[in-house]
Structure formats: C-alpha cells, structure tokens
Amino acid sequence: MKTQRLFFFILLLICSLSFAQIPEIPKSYQAKLEQHQTELKTRPQAAQKKLLALIDETEKKQLHLVSIRAYEALAYHYSTADETQNTLKYAQVAIDLSDKYNYPTEAAVMYGVIGQQYGRMGMDELAKEHIQKGIDIIKNPKTDAEKHHLGNLYTYRLYTKEPGKDSSRIFLKYAKLALASYLAIENKELREKASVLGYGNVGMCYSELKQYDSAIAALDKVLAINKGKNAYMSGSSYLQKGMLFLEKKQVDSAEVNLKRSEKNFLGKGNINEEKELYSQFIKLYELKGDKNKLKEYKSAYLELENRQQKSRLSTATELLKNENKEKKSITSNFYKVAIGLSAVIIALLIILSWQRKKRLREKAAFEAFRKNRNAEEQHTVETKNTENIHITGNNEEEPKNENLGEDVEMRLLKGLEKFEKEHRYNEKGIAVREITSQLNTNATYLSIVIKKHKADNFSSYINTLRINYIVEKIENVPEYRKYKVSYLAEETGFSSAYAFSKVFKDVTGVSPSSYISLLGRKTVGNE
C-alpha cells in the first residue's frame, strides 16, 4: 500500500512541474514549450517531432535553456509513460547541456528523474546516487523554484528501497525534509500545492510506522490546506483517515471520516476510489456487527463492479434512440429499428457466446492448475517423508558441472528451502546476486541447482513461488479475495499490477480476478 500511495503523490509532483517563467526564455518560446508539453499528453509522436525541431532551431540561436527545457519535457513525458530507456536518454542530454551552459538547477531536476527511474527498476544504489547528486547541487536553495525542486528530490528518495528494520524511519526523514522545502516556498499558491503533497507523504510514512495519531495529524494538515477546494484530495484524505481509525479499532471515528470521504467521492466518477471506500465500509460494519449496513455496502460494491457493463448497454440503447430521430417515413423507420435491433441482438449473442467460451476455457485452466497444484503438494509431502533423498538423476538434459559436488548441491538446496520458507522471494527487486551472496556460491552453481530441481531459470523460479504464495493466500484467507490487484502485486514484489496479472495468468491460466471469481463459485457449490 505504501509504494502505491507514494507513487500517486510522486506522479502528482511530476505533473505539477510546469515550465517556470524564466527571464532568459523569450515569451514566444515559452508559449511553444507549454503548447508542446500539453500536446504530448494527446498526440505524443507529433509533439515529440515539434520539440526536436524546436531544439534544432533554438540551438542555432544559442537559446540553450529552451533546448534544455524541451529535453526535460520529453523526459517527463516518457517517465509518466513508464518508458525507461527514453526517459534516461533525454534526461541525460538535458544534464549534459545544463552542465555545458551552466544551468545547475536544470541538471539537479534531471538527476532526480533519472534516480526515480532507477528506483522503479529496483536499482536502488544507482537511484540514490543520482538523487543525491541533484540534492547536492541545490541543497541551499534561494528561489522558490529551487525550493520546490529540492522538495521533489527528497520525495523521489522515498521511491528507493531501504534494507533493514529502520527503512520506514529513513523514509520519514526524507518525507520531512521534502515538506520543509515545500513550506519554505514564499509563493502562497505554489507552497500550498506542494505542501499538501508533502504532508500526504509524511502521513503515509507515519502510517507505515504504525504511528497512527501522527499520520492522522498530517492528513488533517492536508485537509486544512486544501479547505475543500479539491474534492478528490479531500475524499482521499478522509478515506486514509478512516482506514487509520479502523487500524486503531476506533470504529466511530472511522465511520465519520469514511462518510465524509463518501460525500466527496459520490457521483464524481472515481470508481476505483469508491470501491476502495466501500471495501473499508465493509470492514467497518463487520467490526460493528451492523448486518444491514454491511449488506448495503456489499451491494454498493457489487453495483460498481457491474456499472461499466451497464454503461455499455445504456450506450447501445441510446444509439438506437438517436437513430430513430432521422426517420423519413413510418416504413423506413420500422426497417431501421428492426435492422438496428437485429444488429444489437446478433452482437449480444456473439458477445455472450464469446464470454461463455472464455468462461469455459478459464474454468478448465483453473481446474487443471488446482489439480496440478494439489498433486505437486502431495508429491512434496511424500518427498519430505522419504528417508533417503537422491540428488543425482539420469536426465541427460540436466546442466552438468564437474565442480558441483553432491554436498554442495545439497547445501544449496537447503539454502533455497530456507529462502522459500522465509518468503524472501516476495522482496521487490530480488536478484540472483543477493541469493548467491547469502548462500556463499556463484550464479553458475545456483542456476544449475534451480534448473535441475526448481524451474527453467531464476525468473521463472521466483515468479512461480510468488504466484503460488498469493494463490495460497487467496484460497485460505478470504480477506485476500477483496484486495485490489495492485495490493496483491505489491505484496508479492512485482513492479506493477500489469506485470503481476501477466505472470499470474501465465502460471495459473486465468487472470487474478477470474481466479477469485471461479474460486467463489466453487466454494458456494461445495456448500
């Protein structure tokens, strides 16, 4: 949950970085930069060509700051699109030009963007190194822009991984440094806009430390600054407060804040946030034992699930109604309606047929996976009960290495068994080098043992362990069936919900939501 929330705030920070009005940039070029930056959101390819053409033009005129800002715009665009290679390329070009023509603040900003990218990839040491370079450049900010950028650099630091039990306290330190930079901004509008995000991150860090009172105080600051101006921000803050009060088992305070969140979100089209809100209401009324309210919010949650499908049907009906308005005669109108209805009916039949076939395929894959999983579990139990475990085999395709003795192989297997029991495969960014270091071996030996006893390669080994772990949770802990896919991805160390869903389907044959749905039907059928 922490990383997801931090990413939300970081994304807002990136989107809030508009081009500052700098005297060295002529107004006409400032306008072009802002126009192309906006166009990147809707027509990225066309906007990129215009920005590259603008760079050629301004370099000839020695308007270097315009060129730097154009490269920055491209770096920000690819960063939000999660395209790492292009982000790093354009950010580095911007840094090189900034160093060449003495624009240190611009270089600091781009060091932060590069650091954020490395953080997303799990390359935490490189991420910290680049972010610190940016911080060192503007550690004594003089202008509002520099104070804003410094705060953003400290915020990027929250996106890196910190080993050890003190990681949450380290994140809190950087969140506080970011907030202090934001609060030092003299421009009231910019200060409030930035400090809202700063207090939000501080609140998330306190929440991770289970210092719920401090987290709630930080969220109260967000609400006080926002003053209801942004309904989404208010709704999110009240939702977070409600969740914190639930953690404290203060159900009355939780209910008050969840109700306020509902008031801000209701009817605004924020379906994901509404679903999260209703899931918290479900937890609340389960704690309170209020069966009527529990039923009400469960129904509301299911209603949101079905809203999209209903919306499609409503759109189809509306199209048919509009078609009737341009009739020329009763006869022509009749044929139009008949043809339209026939098309809709045929389309619906095709959709229903496709959905039925899809359900059958998913059910077959689901049953096959569970049957195979049960068989593997039984085999594991039988193997553990066997007195003599033979390491060697007759498989001619197994990798061979004359230096890998039976005692080494057994030691590595025991090491992997401990690794699996401790669920360390769920650590984000887990790499071969970390395991080889702990097992006092090398990548070649580890790969041989994994391929011989576990999976085709290290990646497949880790992914299968992660999916089997979360499947066990879904099967045996009903609460997991209510969690968002993003939460399940976060718990199992995946970089995104998309990556988790793809691997989950590769391993089980069905998507996470389909698996949970099929499991629910099977449970009801058994009852």
Side-chain angles (χ1 to χ4, degrees), residues 232-278:
Y232 182 88
M233 186 67 73
S234 295
S236 296
S237 300
Y238 282 125
L239 173 57
Q240 292 301 316
K241 283 185 66 180
M243 293 167 69
L244 290 169
F245 279 121
L246 274 177
E247 290 289 338
K248 296 179 68 178
K249 307 299 182 186
Q250 295 180 8
V251 292
D252 291 337
S253 296
E255 186 172 25
V256 168
N257 282 278
L258 291 177
K259 285 289 185 183
R260 288 174 179 170
S261 177
E262 185 178 33
K263 185 177 179 181
N264 281 276
F265 280 141
L266 200 61
K268 302 293 174 58
N270 301 306
I271 293 180
N272 289 333
E273 288 74 10
E274 283 190 62
K275 286 173 67 177
E276 178 64 35
L277 176 62
Y278 290 151

Side-chain angles (χ1 to χ4, degrees), residues 472-485:
E472 182 180 1
K473 291 290 187 183
I474 292 169
E475 295 253 1
N476 300 316
V477 186
E479 195 68 19
Y480 272 73
R481 302 172 198 175
K482 302 176 185 177
Y483 292 152
K484 289 182 176 180
V485 171

Side-chain angles (χ1 to χ4, degrees), residues 9 57 117 210 381-382 403-404 416 441 489 493 511 520:
F9 284 117
E57 177 187 339
Q117 288 299 309
K210 300 191 183 303
V381 171
E382 292 173 356
N403 296 324
L404 181 60
L416 289 176
T441 187
S511 66

Side-chain angles (χ1 to χ4, degrees), residues 22 46 66 70 80 137-138 173 183 235 286 358 374 382 425 430 476 515 522:
I22 299 176
V66 179
T80 55
I137 290 172
I138 51 173
K173 179 188 78 172
L183 291 174
E286 282 177 344
K358 181 184 176 184
N374 290 335
E382 292 173 356
Y425 47 81
I430 187 74
N476 300 316
Y515 192 99
K522 188 171 185 65

